[in-house]
Amino acid sequence: MDDLSPRNDDIRDTVEKYRDSILRFAFAYLKNRNEAEDIAQEVFVAYIEKTPLIESEEKKKAWLMQVTANKCRNTLSSVWKRRVTSISDDF
């Protein structure tokens, strides 16, 4: 259990430090609070999976913001595809 404690502390500190920035960025991108919250959760899950690979605080922030942007783009792309499909089906 002691081996996980520093990692758990890092994860908790990272979530607390970047949660608001990621949420604001995702909301500005998506214009939807629920989707922004979903993206933030997905970003932190991805961070938990990749934690050992990120070494510096600067790289950590850049990585988190890039993952946020990618997930936002993917969300908009999938929403767009659903809208296009539903409109096409009507005609």
Side-chain angles (χ1 to χ4, degrees):
M1 191 73 163
D2 290 333
D3 293 339
L4 293 176
S5 184
R7 183 167 186 244
N8 289 341
D9 290 344
D10 174 61
I11 291 167
R12 184 181 54 250
D13 293 346
T14 300
V15 170
E16 288 175 6
K17 184 173 184 176
Y18 295 108
R19 175 183 48 221
D20 291 339
S21 297
I22 289 172
L23 233 138
R24 281 193 306 267
F25 182 80
F27 180 75
Y29 211 108
L30 299 171
K31 310 290 190 248
N32 182 302
R33 176 122 179 120
N34 291 330
E35 287 181 351
E37 289 173 353
D38 289 346
I39 293 296
Q41 288 178 355
E42 291 176 21
V43 168
F44 288 118
V45 167
Y47 174 74
I48 290 167
E49 293 171 350
K50 305 289 185 191
T51 298
L53 302 177
I54 302 171
E55 298 170 2
S56 72
E57 198 64 31
E58 295 82 22
K59 288 181 181 179
K60 182 188 301 184
K61 182 177 182 181
W63 187 88
L64 289 167
M65 299 313 276
Q66 186 61 53
V67 170
T68 303
N70 290 344
K71 289 188 177 291
C72 287
R73 279 193 292 275
N74 291 344
T75 297
L76 288 177
S77 172
S78 67
V79 169
W80 172 252
K81 287 178 184 177
R82 281 184 275 160
R83 286 182 185 161
V84 169
T85 302
S86 65
I87 291 173
S88 298
D89 292 342
D90 291 340
F91 289 103

